[in-house]
Amino acid sequence: MRVLEQTDERTPERTLLQIVYQQAEQQRGRPVYQGFHQVVRKLLQDGLYGQWIHSYSASEIKWLELQIVAERDQLLSFTQLRQYINEFVTADYYDQRIGLPQERLMLIAMAALQNENEHRLQKVKEAYWALSNGYITLPADVMSFFGKTYHQQQSITQPYSMDLVDSRILSFLSSKVKEKHILVPDNFMEQVSACGSWLVLDKEHVQRVLGCSLPNVNSDTFRQAVAHPSIAHKKVSAIGLMKQLLASKGVIVHFGDRSKLSSTRLHTYIQLPQVKKSTDLARVCSIFIRLLNGIISEWDCSLQVEVAGWETAIVNQNIGLHSQAALYYIEEVSNEINRHLEAASRLHGIQIPLRIASAGKSHSAYPATKQQQSTMIDRATVEQRHTDQGGSITLEKSFVIETAELLQLLMKAWRCGIPEVRLI
């Protein structure tokens, strides 16, 4: 039975943990976190985990059981704990949970490092240490399905997107679609900056008449479409269209390359505040590389590294969040992370993973001002210089931000090369 059905959002973490432990003790007939090897045996008997577990002997599994630290369950928030129980921990065919959060993390480490030839148990222990302390977090798909006999690697269905040259853009912006992905070419931003005009036309009609799709406004196809006598086009104010875009709900602006929309990579994270506060960044990066390589070799997927928690890490260093010192800190730590990732990749003979810039968002308790959001763009820009792929930022629409100021922020993000902007 799902724990969620027996609790509510106000339940404190400790109370929820007590409920989880009581259920586990009743099911197992022994104290929690005892008999990990028996849990593993049950998972195998029920056909819930793959035969890879047989690569570990009974004595090895018993040794790994001794490395599990039950107290690390208390590092999980209520939301995280509920997600572990309802999604990550394995359920049998009767929806009974088999295992506990720390056991699930150990099994992920075991599955990822099953093919290690030297010091395998020590490497599994280190991977579990990094995961259980929250220094590394993995995508929900990996947490839910990795190592199990059934895995549901959900294909990342194409987001509902539209080009600004499409004549349906105005109705799309006013629709109730929750996430409106808008493809914004550089030409449009240049026209907005110059208070110029913009052309829209029926893309489906273009395809029927010319027999080909409309790639971009710089293409010969676009020029042919505009000049064609049977294809109607309309001239609109670029800044007027931009104001409607800014007024719409749920808009995600994509500057430039359409191909970035179809990315099927899963994001996995280095939790910077926890790492900087408690341990060695080089050690975590080395473990991270091994862990990612093990997951990638078992699953047909690609993972990209992202650093989470920049704002908290900056504040923890007693640095002003909106200061020049914050930009220097991001520059310094980004270089440090890259050095460690490259060194770990060389050491383990692994290709350096793709690193993506963080998704920047103001974490202020109050509506962010224009100046605060402007410095957020500066921070994202600095980090982006040290990554393989740009990240995204979230701009807040609120009573403290006028439309003209929001437009200025969006223009700044575009000029700084930020590929994606979410407007909330």
Side-chain angles (χ1 to χ4, degrees):
M1 181 180 293
R2 289 179 175 261
V3 172
L4 175 59
E5 296 167 3
Q6 301 185 16
T7 60
D8 60 49
E9 288 290 341
R10 294 176 300 241
T11 307
E13 288 86 345
R14 287 183 179 275
T15 303
L16 178 55
L17 211 48
Q18 287 175 351
I19 294 171
V20 170
Y21 287 172
Q22 286 171 1
Q23 289 181 346
E25 287 177 348
Q26 290 171 3
Q27 184 185 26
R28 299 179 182 195
R30 60 180 178 275
V32 293
Y33 287 114
Q34 290 186 16
F36 177 58
H37 65 289
Q38 293 170 297
V39 172
V40 171
R41 188 185 307 147
K42 168 113 177 111
L43 291 169
L44 271 173
Q45 286 174 347
D46 290 357
L48 299 172
Y49 270 69
Q51 295 301 306
W52 62 265
I53 287 184
H54 287 304
S55 70
Y56 291 89
S57 67
S59 61
E60 287 178 319
I61 293 172
K62 288 178 181 178
W63 185 86
L64 289 170
E65 176 184 339
L66 298 176
Q67 315 312 312
I68 292 175
V69 182
E71 290 74 18
R72 290 180 190 159
D73 278 346
Q74 296 174 24
L75 299 177
L76 301 172
S77 68
F78 172 81
T79 302
Q80 290 171 324
L81 182 59
R82 190 177 64 179
Q83 190 173 25
Y84 265 85
I85 300 305
N86 291 339
E87 297 178 34
F88 301 160
V89 168
T90 312
D92 65 15
Y93 302 108
Y94 302 99
D95 205 26
Q96 293 291 322
R97 291 300 180 266
I98 303 173
L100 292 163
Q102 297 303 311
E103 292 169 338
R104 174 60 184 147
L105 290 175
M106 181 60 81
L107 283 162
I108 289 172
M110 290 168 62
L113 300 173
Q114 60 184 278
N115 295 318
E116 290 288 332
N117 296 320
E118 296 181 353
H119 311 296
R120 182 173 69 162
L121 291 187
Q122 186 61 32
K123 290 174 180 175
V124 171
K125 177 184 175 182
E126 285 208 320
Y128 165 73
W129 166 83
L131 289 168
S132 61
N133 278 296
Y135 303 140
I136 294 170
T137 53
L138 298 172
D141 269 13
V142 174
M143 294 296 296
S144 295
F145 305 113
F146 187 68
K148 301 177 183 180
T149 50
Y150 59 94
H151 71 268
Q152 185 179 323
Q153 277 178 275
Q154 301 171 356
S155 59
I156 301 175
T157 54
Q158 274 289 92
Y160 194 177
S161 63
M162 188 167 290
D163 286 302
L164 276 181
V165 295
D166 197 314
S167 58
R168 299 170 298 170
I169 187 66
L170 294 180
S171 59
F172 181 57
L173 288 173
S174 62
S175 72
K176 294 184 178 180
V177 174
K178 289 185 178 179
E179 286 197 349
K180 304 180 184 76
H181 293 262
I182 310 295
L183 306 176
V184 178
D186 290 341
N187 310 61
F188 176 75
M189 297 302 290
E190 291 163 1
Q191 288 300 311
V192 171
S193 183
C195 296
S197 59
W198 187 247
L199 295 179
V200 295
L201 37 72
D202 187 334
K203 291 188 71 175
E204 292 181 2
H205 189 215
V206 171
Q207 179 130 13
R208 287 195 300 270
V209 173
L210 299 182
C212 59
S213 61
L214 195 61
N216 58 65
V217 293
N218 287 323
S219 67
D220 289 335
T221 307
F222 183 81
R223 285 187 282 272
Q224 290 174 33
V226 171
H228 202 284
S230 65
I231 298 177
H233 63 269
K234 182 180 180 182
K235 184 179 288 190
V236 298
S237 161
I239 201 164
L241 180 53
M242 174 59 87
K243 286 180 179 177
Q244 289 180 281
L245 185 150
L246 294 174
S248 180
K249 293 181 180 178
V251 166
I252 302 171
V253 173
H254 299 269
F255 295 121
D257 191 0
R258 170 195 296 273
S259 65
K260 289 174 184 171
L261 278 176
S262 60
S263 170
T264 56
R265 296 185 182 96
L266 297 174
H267 291 214
T268 180
Y269 299 91
I270 295 172
Q271 296 293 339
L272 191 61
Q274 289 89 322
V275 175
K276 278 291 190 182
K277 193 173 183 180
S278 308
T279 189
D280 181 13
L281 187 55
R283 181 186 178 190
V284 171
C285 287
S286 181
I287 294 169
F288 202 20
I289 290 293
R290 267 202 308 266
L291 194 59
L292 292 188
N293 187 58
I295 293 170
I296 291 167
S297 65
E298 292 300 313
W299 263 17
D300 183 20
C301 70
S302 59
L303 300 173
Q304 56 191 18
V305 177
E306 186 170 334
V307 178
W310 277 111
E311 286 199 352
T312 303
I314 291 167
V315 171
N316 287 347
Q317 295 293 313
N318 294 318
I319 297 173
L321 191 57
H322 307 294
S323 67
Q324 190 67 32
L327 303 185
Y328 292 144
Y329 179 77
I330 292 171
E331 191 104 37
E332 177 187 339
V333 175
S334 292
N335 275 320
E336 183 185 0
I337 290 170
N338 285 345
R339 286 198 307 273
H340 294 322
L341 291 175
E342 289 172 10
S345 297
R346 286 195 302 271
L347 178 65
H348 303 302
I350 297 166
Q351 185 176 356
I352 298 173
L354 180 70
R355 189 175 156 214
I356 184 171
S358 304
K361 183 178 180 180
S362 172
H363 293 92
S364 170
Y366 305 98
T369 65
K370 178 187 175 184
Q371 182 58 37
Q372 289 170 334
Q373 298 199 64
S374 181
T375 56
M376 177 188 66
I377 294 172
D378 292 335
R379 294 196 299 270
T381 305
V382 171
E383 190 208 356
Q384 189 168 273
R385 287 203 293 266
H386 301 276
T387 61
D388 303 291
Q389 186 174 317
S392 67
I393 61 164
T394 298
L395 296 179
E396 298 178 38
K397 297 186 283 187
S398 69
F399 64 90
V400 299
I401 296 284
E402 297 179 357
T403 301
E405 293 177 317
L406 188 63
L407 175 55
Q408 289 169 2
L409 289 169
L410 188 65
M411 295 294 292
K412 177 176 180 177
W414 167 65
R415 290 191 180 105
C416 289
I418 306 288
E420 180 183 288
V421 178
R422 293 174 173 261
L423 301 171
I424 62 169

